[in-house]
Amino acid sequence: MSFCVFFKSTGGGTLHLIHLPATSNVAENSPPETLVHKFSVNLSVSLSPVIPGFPLIINSNPLTEAFRVNWLSGTDFQVVTTGEEQLDFETGPNIYDLQIYVKDDVGVTDLQILTVQVTDVNEPPRFLGRLAEGLDLFIAERQIPGFIYQVEAFDPEDTGRNIPLSYFLISSSNNFGMSANGTIFSTTELDFEAGHNSCHLIVEVRDSGGLKASTTLRLTIVNINDEIPRFTSPTRVYLIPEELSVGTIVANITAEDPDDEGSSGHLLYSMTTVGNYFVINQLTGTIHVAQRMDRDAGELRQNPTISVEVLVKDRPSGGQENRIQITFVVEDVNDNPATCRKLTFSIMVSETAANRTSLLDLNKFCFDEDSEAPNNKFNFTTPSGVGSSHRFLQDPAGSGKIVLIGDLDCENPSNLAAGNKYTLIIQVQDVAFPYYKNNIYIFIFTSPEDEFPLIFDRPFYVFNVSEIRPARTRVGQVRATDGDFPQSSIVYSISSGGASPQYPNIFWINPKTGELQLITKADYETTSIYILRIQATNGEDTSSVTVTVNIIGENDEKPMCTPNSYFLAIPVDLKVGTNIQNFKLTCTDLDSSPRSFRYSIGPGNINSHFTFSPNAGSNVTRLLLASSFDYEGGLDKIWDYTLLVYITDDNLLSGRRKAEALVETGTVTLSIKVLPHPTTIITTTPRPRITYQVFRENVYSPSAWYVPFVVTTGSVLLLGLLVSLIILLAKAIHRCCPCKTGKTKKPLLGLCLKLSLSMNTVFDGEAVDPVTGEIYQFNSKTGARKWKDPLKQMPTWTEPSLQGGGTRKETGR
């Protein structure tokens, strides 16, 4: 931005600038305080001094701070460069118009223009960017010889005129060169491991005027991963014993990396061979046992050689690698004792076996699992065992072949003392250190021969047992023996007999002891004698014997009477001694005589109104009234009696204190209802000489208010039920007997009336008329009676004739 100051001159002798306006030249790139132009100030007539700080450059075109005004002396001043801006002919403005302004104390001013022209000066060339201060270059080793870097420089004069600059490699080098246009290139393949780690190249550039500049290129050779690792461990074959514990180090594989100055710290080891016996530490290269190696089993028994390939790499992925083949030979050690498929033998030898009989060859059972001699060789020690030295021998010695040289007769007392069984102890032992051994136990048992028959100690057996004895009762015991030694176990069984009508067999015999027992009670009345056939066997012989079992009869049956229960109704004024409704009991007992019964009445015979006659010595007895009832006097209060009658088959006399034999007792239940005096007499049938009385008694109590309610409700329900039944009956009659004529109506009506009458009255008891002996039915609550159906029972009765005192027989209906 530029501006102009306009002022009015005061005429001759005014303040003004001398030697201005003017044009001056200054060389480019001039240093600070370089003189550009000198001028003076002509003071005004008043000789007023210039204000301090004036004259000064108040404006420039273009704007710049590259110039300022310096005071020299008096009124002399000069324009110099400030150095704050670089004066560059090639890049900056070439002409500057500076407005120089002066002012004195009285305010008189003057303004003139100084034109400054920047002149061109030949400058030396310059390297661009950081290249001017030196540059670090990194070159990978093993790089193909050729281009490395393009050096670039700038010359203000030549570059603008398209005059090329000249480049030179000042420092000598056998590995690098430089072309005239500034291209640096390698002449050989660089190898970091060969010592070509770094070098310094001095590069010089010159312009057409001979000016020059130089810089330094610091070249560093970068080590790349171009060398394969080298194995340093010399061993390739390792001999290792079998059965090493897991984790044991069997080899240490080492390698180094030339790219890492011989260090192995960053190498990684692995095994490429598929196998389970070894693992390798990927950092250290040590090979460890990974699982059990048994030289005597599996694939190692056939081929003890294990080959693995070890791979070493200088980085996890990519990079350089190397391989080596390692062989392990697994050596056999004596780690398996000689053993046998069986270490315990049981041999059965007949007691009649001859001397020198071969009993056992241990070589067929014994072995040593070690794979190589002498580790797999073994022998046998001399047999030992109490009582065996004179009976058994190893022939030849150490061969493991056992033969018989003694007597094994079971009946021989010396053999009996030994129990006819012998124990041999033989050791099978390795012939190589550490001489493992195992004990072999041989148990020789004598097999007895059947020389004596099996016989019972009696030719027959007779046992007695009571019929009242319970199950598991011991009846008796049979015993059979065998003269052979050792005694064989004898098993007893029932081959025949012992059956009853209810059970296939009521006896059981202990198969080991021969003890005969009852399975259930015997019944004398059913079967009194059993004939059994007992068989004994010891696996070789069989023998039988007859056993007779006599069943002893006992009084174990209860008396049985008819009827077993009965209902009787008697009037309250029945005479003492009367056989109540001709009731009688008839009793039987399977194991007692008819004269052994005794009768008694238990609970329920209150005031002892009832008794039986006879009360003992007969199987038939009648119920009598023993004493009269006294309700009016208050002695009797109940009208219904329930008698429990006991019938005992011992017929004890009064002088005895206890039964001479077992006693059994039967029971009969009698229900007796005492009928009170009648209040009205109702003739129920037109039969002559038979009068039926119905007794009613008002027993209603005001406190029993619920009775009418219950009775009414029950009556309504009963009435509804009866109506339903009548409707169903009418429908049935209509279906079965349709009315076609008027003649059939009356019989049907009579049938319906009879059915309704029979359904309205319920007769819950029966009794025998003491006069006629006929049976009638009665209602225990209302007293209503009727004769029993004559078709079921038609008693006959005799009635005196009305004419002439004759008699006639009638049959009740």
Side-chain angles (χ1 to χ4, degrees), residues 130-277:
R130 294 183 300 170
L131 184 60
E133 300 174 357
L135 187 64
D136 292 319
L137 296 178
F138 296 91
I139 305 172
E141 67 169 330
R142 301 293 181 184
Q143 183 174 316
I144 299 175
F147 175 84
I148 293 178
Y149 187 74
Q150 178 65 48
V151 178
E152 293 182 354
F154 172 80
D155 184 81
E157 292 78 25
D158 291 353
T159 301
R161 296 192 297 269
N162 292 325
I163 298 175
L165 300 176
S166 299
Y167 297 90
F168 303 94
L169 185 61
I170 303 303
S171 58
S172 61
S173 175
N174 297 326
N175 299 316
F176 301 98
M178 189 172 185
S179 61
N181 63 355
T183 299
I184 297 178
F185 55 88
S186 60
T187 59
T188 61
E189 187 179 85
L190 303 176
D191 186 3
F192 180 88
E193 290 74 24
H196 301 157
N197 298 335
S198 63
C199 66
H200 291 72
L201 301 179
I202 300 175
V203 178
E204 185 180 82
V205 59
R206 300 174 187 174
D207 62 7
S208 58
L211 298 180
K212 59 185 177 180
S214 65
T215 188
T216 301
L217 299 179
R218 296 177 292 274
L219 275 70
T220 301
I221 309 303
V222 178
N223 185 17
I224 63 173
N225 187 19
D226 61 337
E227 299 286 342
I228 64 172
R230 294 192 298 267
F231 288 98
T232 58
S233 53
T235 306
R236 298 293 183 267
V237 179
Y238 294 85
L239 302 179
I240 58 175
E242 65 172 329
E243 300 295 350
L244 290 175
S245 59
V246 175
T248 302
I249 298 176
V250 294
N252 187 16
I253 307 303
T254 58
E256 63 181 14
D257 188 0
D259 290 322
D260 201 10
E261 298 181 356
S263 173
S264 60
H266 301 291
L267 298 178
L268 300 176
Y269 299 87
S270 62
M271 289 193 301
T272 61
T273 307
V274 177
N276 300 323
Y277 290 111

Side-chain angles (χ1 to χ4, degrees), residues 199-367:
C199 66
H200 291 72
L201 301 179
I202 300 175
V203 178
E204 185 180 82
V205 59
R206 300 174 187 174
D207 62 7
S208 58
L211 298 180
K212 59 185 177 180
S214 65
T215 188
T216 301
L217 299 179
R218 296 177 292 274
L219 275 70
T220 301
I221 309 303
V222 178
N223 185 17
I224 63 173
N225 187 19
D226 61 337
E227 299 286 342
I228 64 172
R230 294 192 298 267
F231 288 98
T232 58
S233 53
T235 306
R236 298 293 183 267
V237 179
Y238 294 85
L239 302 179
I240 58 175
E242 65 172 329
E243 300 295 350
L244 290 175
S245 59
V246 175
T248 302
I249 298 176
V250 294
N252 187 16
I253 307 303
T254 58
E256 63 181 14
D257 188 0
D259 290 322
D260 201 10
E261 298 181 356
S263 173
S264 60
H266 301 291
L267 298 178
L268 300 176
Y269 299 87
S270 62
M271 289 193 301
T272 61
T273 307
V274 177
N276 300 323
Y277 290 111
F278 304 104
V279 293
I280 190 169
N281 188 314
Q282 64 173 355
L283 299 179
T284 63
T286 55
I287 299 178
H288 302 255
V289 175
Q291 72 173 27
R292 179 190 177 198
M293 291 183 295
D294 189 358
R295 173 66 176 83
D296 311 311
E299 59 184 10
L300 293 180
R301 188 175 185 89
Q302 303 299 327
N303 182 14
T305 301
I306 304 174
S307 296
V308 297
E309 184 183 68
V310 178
L311 171 67
V312 60
K313 303 175 69 174
D314 55 10
R315 65 182 60 180
S317 59
Q320 301 294 330
E321 63 182 36
N322 199 358
R323 301 168 188 263
I324 189 175
Q325 200 77 17
I326 301 297
T327 301
F328 294 94
V329 179
V330 182
E331 296 183 323
D332 182 43
V333 297
N334 188 18
D335 59 334
N336 292 311
T339 186
C340 304
R341 289 191 295 273
K342 293 172 58 180
L343 293 176
T344 301
F345 296 86
S346 294
I347 303 175
M348 187 67 69
V349 183
S350 173
E351 63 176 326
T352 60
N355 284 343
R356 313 305 298 183
T357 298
S358 177
L359 303 181
L360 178 65
D361 186 359
L362 294 175
N363 289 285
K364 297 179 180 179
F365 301 93
C366 299
F367 58 91

